[in-house]
Amino acid sequence: MKIAEILNEEKPGISCELFPPKQGSQLDNVKEVVREMALLAPSYMSITYGATGGTSEYTVDIANEIQNGNHVPALAHLTCVSSTREKVHSVIEQLKAAKIKNILALRGDIPKDADFPLPNQYKYASELIYDIKSQGDFCIGGACYPEGHPEADTIEDDLCHLKEKVEAGCDFLTTQMFFDNNVYYNFMYKILKKDIRVPVVAGIMPVTNSRQIKQIISLSGSMVPPRFRAIVDRFADDPAAMRQAGIAYATEQIIDLIANGVNHVHIYTMNKPGVAGAIFDNLSEIYVRK
Ligand code: FAD
């Protein structure tokens, strides 16, 4: 099933994100995570694709496991920054063979010591999106950044490039994580003014340990509101309490989003079925599983 159809449904939807293993020896573990996550009956599951190659080798395998092994629609991420066009085309062919219809098309982070872009390679996600469109009947998603992409000079520049990306053929967008829902609501006003009208899935990251928070700030630049910082300050040294508080905070964010008309939320589950399961349990009357 195409994600665009899922996002059109009237009832609220919740999807989950996983990452593939680095080595083949961990493949069975990740497949077990897929099975446990599938039991929660998310509306779809996405699987990341490491831009620098380390975690890209098994993305198609895991997408296949999600969709054909566990009967949950799969969204395969695909990055282009470190890939040749030939490599990208071969991954698209593998996805076609596995009947995966949904691709989240991304540029990826530019590797620090690399020449970028290489001649005749992709520079921006919009170029990848054009390319995927010409290769078959895919439902294509793109990333968006309610607080602005870290490389963009201004939010206005970023929104203009987002508009170009949607016009290249995005059927939907998924946001970078945010910890203050007002960031999402303000972003929705801004993109409406730009006449960007595709569905925007809200990305929520349950932060369940103190290490994550440092990584999040350095990688995504997401703003941490005082309410959330107080939780980290109070519970960071107590893993069980931090886990419980992180799950409660993410649940509250999701309830507020759905109450305010946001119909689809994507949870960055970080391969933790226990955390995802606790959130789904908290939402059992709000997200009715099929
Ligand atoms: P783009 O849309 O190409 O934008 C990158 C930057 O270029 C932005 O600053 C934009 O404003 C600017 N830009 C775009 N077009 C132009 C133009 N024509 N002229 C000038 N500037 C332009 N990374 C992974 O490695 N693997 C994953 O699986 C993955 N999944 C993700 C999922 C989501 C939902 C999100 C939000 C991010 C994900 N990322 C992933 C991270 C992402 O790859 C990085 O944030 C990357 O730096 C940008 O990718 P993009 O597709 O948004 O790039």
Side-chain angles (χ1 to χ4, degrees):
M1 191 174 188
K2 288 190 172 172
I3 306 288
E5 294 165 39
I6 296 170
L7 300 180
N8 244 337
E9 288 174 1
E10 260 177 48
K11 52 184 182 351
I14 299 185
S15 48
C16 295
E17 181 163 309
L18 306 179
F19 54 84
K22 276 198 180 123
Q23 287 142 10
S25 57
Q26 297 158 350
L27 197 54
D28 284 344
N29 293 349
V30 178
K31 286 185 177 174
E32 181 53 32
V33 171
V34 169
R35 274 190 285 280
E36 289 179 39
M37 217 68 106
L39 292 175
L40 303 174
S43 22
Y44 62 87
M45 281 156 84
S46 81
I47 179 78
T48 63
Y49 186 101
T52 44
T55 59
S56 60
E57 206 180 320
Y58 300 103
T59 297
V60 178
D61 279 343
I62 299 293
N64 189 27
E65 182 69 19
I66 291 170
Q67 188 163 295
N68 301 317
N70 290 273
H71 313 293
V72 174
L75 169 61
H77 295 206
L78 179 57
T79 64
C80 59
V81 67
S82 309
S83 273
T84 60
R85 287 183 185 260
E86 293 70 27
K87 169 74 185 163
V88 164
H89 292 175
S90 89
V91 175
I92 293 172
E93 287 309 313
Q94 290 169 37
L95 290 169
K96 274 190 204 167
K99 301 201 167 15
I100 310 287
K101 288 272 173 195
N102 304 296
I103 302 180
L104 192 73
L106 301 140
R107 186 197 67 184
D109 287 328
I110 300 168
K112 282 198 183 79
D113 306 321
D115 290 333
F116 174 79
L118 292 168
N120 192 31
Q121 305 304 357
Y122 306 90
K123 195 168 177 194
Y124 298 113
S126 49
E127 296 166 16
L128 174 64
I129 290 164
Y130 271 125
D131 210 2
I132 296 171
K133 269 259 165 272
S134 70
Q135 306 280 317
D137 177 27
F138 288 103
C139 173
I140 306 174
C144 63
Y145 304 83
E147 296 173 75
H149 184 266
E151 282 167 37
D153 288 336
T154 64
I155 301 249
E156 179 59 23
D157 278 356
D158 205 29
L159 288 170
C160 291
H161 297 136
L162 182 62
K163 172 115 177 132
E164 289 161 15
K165 182 153 82 172
V166 170
E167 284 172 352
C170 271
D171 297 295
F172 68 98
L173 295 167
T174 304
T175 73
Q176 180 62 283
M177 67 191 78
F178 54 87
F179 298 99
D180 176 348
N181 288 355
N182 287 324
V183 165
Y184 177 92
Y185 301 135
N186 290 338
F187 178 68
M188 293 306 287
Y189 280 120
K190 287 182 195 148
I191 65 167
L192 201 59
K193 276 177 87 178
K194 287 268 174 237
D195 205 24
I196 296 174
R197 292 184 183 266
V198 293
V200 181
V201 176
I204 295 295
M205 164 80 99
V207 177
T208 52
N209 67 60
S210 55
R211 205 168 16 90
Q212 271 177 299
I213 198 79
K214 287 192 192 113
Q215 279 175 343
I216 287 163
I217 297 167
S218 71
L219 290 176
S220 70
S222 298
M223 186 260 291
V224 179
R227 207 173 136 254
F228 187 69
R229 188 163 293 277
I231 289 178
V232 178
D233 287 347
R234 177 71 177 81
F235 301 120
D237 296 332
D238 181 341
M242 186 62 225
R243 183 180 185 279
Q244 192 171 49
I247 288 168
Y249 191 91
T251 304
E252 268 191 41
Q253 269 196 286
I254 296 171
I255 292 174
D256 177 75
L257 287 164
I258 293 175
N260 283 288
V262 178
N263 225 25
H264 204 103
V265 176
H266 187 63
I267 308 179
Y268 294 107
T269 50
M270 307 299 291
N271 292 20
K272 291 182 186 156
V275 171
I279 296 175
F280 275 72
D281 284 348
N282 287 344
L283 299 169
S284 58
E285 301 302 320
I286 293 170
Y287 173 67
V288 180
R289 304 178 201 179
K290 281 182 197 151

